[in-house]
Amino acid sequence: MGFDRDLFLPVSREDMERRGWDSYDVLLITGDAYVDHPSFGPTIIGRVLEAQGYRVAILAQPDWHSAAPFQALGRPRLAVMISAGNLDSMVAHYTAARKRRHDDAYSPGRKAGLRPDHATVVYSNRVREAFGDIPIIIGGLEASLRRFAHYDYWEDKVRRSILFDAQADILTYGMGELASKEIISRLASGTPVDEITDVRGTCVAATHPGVCAYPWVEVPSFEEVSSSKEAYARANMVEYNEHDPFVGKAILQKHGRQFLLVNPPARPLTTAEMDEVAELPYVREPHPMYDAMGGVPAIEEVRFSVTHNRGCFGACNFCSLAFHQGRVISCRSHQSVIREVKALTEHPGFKGYIHDVGGPSATFRRPSCQKQLKHGMCKNRACLAPEACPNLDADHTDYMMLLRKLREIPKVKKVFIRSGIRFDYLMKDPSGEFFTDLIQHHISGQLKVAPEHCVAHTLDYMGKPHIEVYEKFREKYFKLNRRYGKDQYLVPYLISSHPGCTLEDAVQLAEWLNKQGHMPEQVQDFYPTPGTLATCMWYTGLDPRTMKPVFVPKTPHDKALQRALMQWRKPQNRALVLEALHKTGREDLIGYGKHCLIRPSKGQSFGAQSGKDSRPASAKGKGAPAPRGGKKASGDPRKERFDGRHTVEKKNAPSNPKRKAGWAKPKPPVTKGTKGRKKR
């Protein structure tokens, strides 16, 4: 859009010369394209250090096949800081089925392949070739989640801490502003990098435990967790529990003759510090060097969005947030967010819509309870699952008042919420006032929430509330939509093949979806990312919280069966759905009844067709109701699918809804005196 390149951090020697620089202090290397926006971690670190008076240059997506491109900007005076980007590079490159992705939203023109696999390691090793013994600090999500010995899904093995593979001096984990400022300040004062061993939120290599400056606990070594899954699970649970900025201890893990020393997490930023970081002079656009390449698509989701918080005490077991940002909430002031939105209204591309005011979970603006500020997060339970803690503070008033202020800003037409809404947290709000505001003002056609599954024990393995909470939320959501005359959809996110989910559980999920009148257009297979409790379950077959065995659907065929059941209407899934129903003894779901998932093959006869319940005794009384007899099929498969959807959604669906695959639609308001009348 023609932004002056001098507004950005320098990306070339020419940029530095225009600024009159004959040298610079810190080189930031990132695996993403350079987007000067506070949704991009390396940009935040660069702007934070710039605000401290340091000269910072950016090297984005360098060619890693030789050391020469890493020398293009010259040797920095103090250090090289490296991040793989906003995603783990392996997640950016591969699907859950380990298939190579064909595009990359964090690269210009969506071009794939502009960063290497295990980008942090590759970049760091090239920097060693280019600059020898220069201090190397690695950070970002990839380094954060791989700071301990960890299971790597793509190589199907346990890898060492990324600190050792990268040959780095220091690893920063979590949100790295405080750690980065302290490290660079010490380097600038002349402190050798090998003496910087006590910064909170960092990891270093040590020759003996005496180097540690904090109370510490030791977990099984890399060699132990590589050979024993029980040792891996025990280590993972300690690593998770000690990730607490208030009471967490340092952790030592031996790697050969060296110790990995993981200092306690950095303290959360105060509101004033959050404001300062958010209001640094970001251009909020990709660097103009990408204009001819089609720009950087990742900016489109965040260009007119505002981040107001950090951290998430939802602590889903499959999510990396708890192990990266942590479970303690930090938030910005109302005044800071208002200033940012007012600035957005002056952007030449602004159309009147703020796309999101959120964060990891949009509605979190306060600690889960006051106890955690002194005693840390509870180690023996979660705040929201399987039931909300009695001490939970679920007051949404502060967030609601912030949104109301933003709606009043001139030029702002709508303020939407697109990042995660925790429906379980919302249902505990004592007033319910925010729920009505949400329905009336902050949904852009559809609201996405994440029940993830419907079976209680599977949800327990996920760390999610039981399905009854979602069903109560759903009922209230549609009730409020009808009250205010809104026509807004509800889209549930679901995961297949999560540890603990059996094929029988997947069948129950398909029944539940059929009853809800919903078939997902897209299905997310469980993706084992480094560091999470669910990945530990997937690798070890043990629940690290209890050390009890857990079933894991691992083979591609097992996963395909579960995935197909979530999209049972698709013709290409028919054979898999039939196989799954036969394997689980659920032939009662093969037939013409409205509860059935699939029709029988020619020449086959099932109880659902004759009116008899053919389910095994163990299945009766569970899941869908017994089939209704005597009901003939319409002969039109499209009408049969619609009839089934209409029958099960009759409580919430309109009398003659337009079919929209994958969406659940509320019933429009009924005018008094018209109920039961026939149309003329």
PDB file of all heavy atoms in Angstrom, residues 589-600:
ATOM      1  N   LEU A 589     -27.419 -48.335  13.312  1.00  0.00           N
ATOM      2  CA  LEU A 589     -27.280 -47.028  12.677  1.00  0.00           C
ATOM      3  C   LEU A 589     -27.197 -47.128  11.164  1.00  0.00           C
ATOM      4  O   LEU A 589     -26.962 -46.134  10.480  1.00  0.00           O
ATOM      5  CB  LEU A 589     -26.036 -46.316  13.220  1.00  0.00           C
ATOM      6  CG  LEU A 589     -26.056 -46.024  14.729  1.00  0.00           C
ATOM      7  CD1 LEU A 589     -24.746 -45.374  15.165  1.00  0.00           C
ATOM      8  CD2 LEU A 589     -27.233 -45.126  15.083  1.00  0.00           C
ATOM      9  N   ILE A 590     -27.381 -48.354  10.636  1.00  0.00           N
ATOM     10  CA  ILE A 590     -27.440 -48.568   9.194  1.00  0.00           C
ATOM     11  C   ILE A 590     -28.898 -48.822   8.841  1.00  0.00           C
ATOM     12  O   ILE A 590     -29.478 -49.830   9.274  1.00  0.00           O
ATOM     13  CB  ILE A 590     -26.572 -49.766   8.754  1.00  0.00           C
ATOM     14  CG1 ILE A 590     -25.135 -49.605   9.265  1.00  0.00           C
ATOM     15  CG2 ILE A 590     -26.586 -49.915   7.246  1.00  0.00           C
ATOM     16  CD1 ILE A 590     -24.272 -50.841   9.074  1.00  0.00           C
ATOM     17  N   GLY A 591     -29.514 -47.944   8.123  1.00  0.00           N
ATOM     18  CA  GLY A 591     -30.929 -48.119   7.809  1.00  0.00           C
ATOM     19  C   GLY A 591     -31.552 -46.845   7.312  1.00  0.00           C
ATOM     20  O   GLY A 591     -30.861 -45.937   6.834  1.00  0.00           O
ATOM     21  N   TYR A 592     -32.909 -46.775   7.459  1.00  0.00           N
ATOM     22  CA  TYR A 592     -33.649 -45.641   6.919  1.00  0.00           C
ATOM     23  C   TYR A 592     -34.275 -44.770   8.006  1.00  0.00           C
ATOM     24  O   TYR A 592     -34.930 -43.779   7.695  1.00  0.00           O
ATOM     25  CB  TYR A 592     -34.743 -46.133   5.961  1.00  0.00           C
ATOM     26  CG  TYR A 592     -34.182 -46.896   4.784  1.00  0.00           C
ATOM     27  CD1 TYR A 592     -34.187 -48.287   4.758  1.00  0.00           C
ATOM     28  CD2 TYR A 592     -33.617 -46.222   3.710  1.00  0.00           C
ATOM     29  CE1 TYR A 592     -33.667 -48.983   3.687  1.00  0.00           C
ATOM     30  CE2 TYR A 592     -33.086 -46.908   2.630  1.00  0.00           C
ATOM     31  CZ  TYR A 592     -33.119 -48.302   2.621  1.00  0.00           C
ATOM     32  OH  TYR A 592     -32.598 -48.984   1.556  1.00  0.00           O
ATOM     33  N   GLY A 593     -34.099 -45.137   9.259  1.00  0.00           N
ATOM     34  CA  GLY A 593     -34.638 -44.319  10.332  1.00  0.00           C
ATOM     35  C   GLY A 593     -33.924 -42.981  10.408  1.00  0.00           C
ATOM     36  O   GLY A 593     -32.793 -42.816   9.946  1.00  0.00           O
ATOM     37  N   LYS A 594     -34.603 -42.033  11.008  1.00  0.00           N
ATOM     38  CA  LYS A 594     -34.043 -40.683  11.047  1.00  0.00           C
ATOM     39  C   LYS A 594     -32.812 -40.602  11.940  1.00  0.00           C
ATOM     40  O   LYS A 594     -32.038 -39.653  11.848  1.00  0.00           O
ATOM     41  CB  LYS A 594     -35.116 -39.701  11.510  1.00  0.00           C
ATOM     42  CG  LYS A 594     -36.214 -39.548  10.471  1.00  0.00           C
ATOM     43  CD  LYS A 594     -37.325 -38.647  10.963  1.00  0.00           C
ATOM     44  CE  LYS A 594     -38.420 -38.546   9.894  1.00  0.00           C
ATOM     45  NZ  LYS A 594     -39.562 -37.728  10.348  1.00  0.00           N
ATOM     46  N   HIS A 595     -32.654 -41.583  12.813  1.00  0.00           N
ATOM     47  CA  HIS A 595     -31.461 -41.590  13.661  1.00  0.00           C
ATOM     48  C   HIS A 595     -30.289 -42.259  12.969  1.00  0.00           C
ATOM     49  O   HIS A 595     -29.162 -42.217  13.466  1.00  0.00           O
ATOM     50  CB  HIS A 595     -31.755 -42.344  14.957  1.00  0.00           C
ATOM     51  CG  HIS A 595     -31.835 -43.829  14.755  1.00  0.00           C
ATOM     52  ND1 HIS A 595     -32.879 -44.437  14.111  1.00  0.00           N
ATOM     53  CD2 HIS A 595     -30.954 -44.816  15.078  1.00  0.00           C
ATOM     54  CE1 HIS A 595     -32.655 -45.739  14.063  1.00  0.00           C
ATOM     55  NE2 HIS A 595     -31.499 -45.999  14.643  1.00  0.00           N
ATOM     56  N   CYS A 596     -30.514 -42.910  11.834  1.00  0.00           N
ATOM     57  CA  CYS A 596     -29.462 -43.694  11.177  1.00  0.00           C
ATOM     58  C   CYS A 596     -28.443 -42.783  10.510  1.00  0.00           C
ATOM     59  O   CYS A 596     -28.759 -41.692  10.032  1.00  0.00           O
ATOM     60  CB  CYS A 596     -30.072 -44.634  10.141  1.00  0.00           C
ATOM     61  SG  CYS A 596     -31.055 -45.960  10.872  1.00  0.00           S
ATOM     62  N   LEU A 597     -27.212 -43.274  10.444  1.00  0.00           N
ATOM     63  CA  LEU A 597     -26.146 -42.518   9.814  1.00  0.00           C
ATOM     64  C   LEU A 597     -26.025 -42.825   8.333  1.00  0.00           C
ATOM     65  O   LEU A 597     -25.626 -41.965   7.544  1.00  0.00           O
ATOM     66  CB  LEU A 597     -24.804 -42.821  10.498  1.00  0.00           C
ATOM     67  CG  LEU A 597     -24.684 -42.487  11.987  1.00  0.00           C
ATOM     68  CD1 LEU A 597     -23.294 -42.866  12.493  1.00  0.00           C
ATOM     69  CD2 LEU A 597     -24.962 -41.014  12.245  1.00  0.00           C
ATOM     70  N   ILE A 598     -26.359 -44.054   7.948  1.00  0.00           N
ATOM     71  CA  ILE A 598     -26.073 -44.473   6.584  1.00  0.00           C
ATOM     72  C   ILE A 598     -27.078 -45.530   6.148  1.00  0.00           C
ATOM     73  O   ILE A 598     -27.605 -46.280   6.974  1.00  0.00           O
ATOM     74  CB  ILE A 598     -24.619 -45.017   6.495  1.00  0.00           C
ATOM     75  CG1 ILE A 598     -24.126 -45.066   5.057  1.00  0.00           C
ATOM     76  CG2 ILE A 598     -24.476 -46.368   7.190  1.00  0.00           C
ATOM     77  CD1 ILE A 598     -22.615 -45.288   4.949  1.00  0.00           C
ATOM     78  N   ARG A 599     -27.368 -45.583   4.860  1.00  0.00           N
ATOM     79  CA  ARG A 599     -28.311 -46.562   4.329  1.00  0.00           C
ATOM     80  C   ARG A 599     -27.597 -47.886   4.045  1.00  0.00           C
ATOM     81  O   ARG A 599     -26.403 -47.900   3.745  1.00  0.00           O
ATOM     82  CB  ARG A 599     -28.958 -46.040   3.056  1.00  0.00           C
ATOM     83  CG  ARG A 599     -29.852 -44.836   3.311  1.00  0.00           C
ATOM     84  CD  ARG A 599     -30.538 -44.407   2.051  1.00  0.00           C
ATOM     85  NE  ARG A 599     -31.483 -43.344   2.312  1.00  0.00           N
ATOM     86  CZ  ARG A 599     -32.388 -42.923   1.442  1.00  0.00           C
ATOM     87  NH1 ARG A 599     -32.441 -43.479   0.237  1.00  0.00           N
ATOM     88  NH2 ARG A 599     -33.219 -41.957   1.756  1.00  0.00           N
ATOM     89  N   PRO A 600     -28.333 -48.983   4.122  1.00  0.00           N
ATOM     90  CA  PRO A 600     -27.699 -50.284   3.840  1.00  0.00           C
ATOM     91  C   PRO A 600     -27.396 -50.444   2.359  1.00  0.00           C
ATOM     92  O   PRO A 600     -27.969 -49.761   1.512  1.00  0.00           O
ATOM     93  CB  PRO A 600     -28.760 -51.284   4.299  1.00  0.00           C
ATOM     94  CG  PRO A 600     -30.048 -50.547   4.169  1.00  0.00           C
ATOM     95  CD  PRO A 600     -29.752 -49.120   4.480  1.00  0.00           C
TER      96      PRO A 600
END
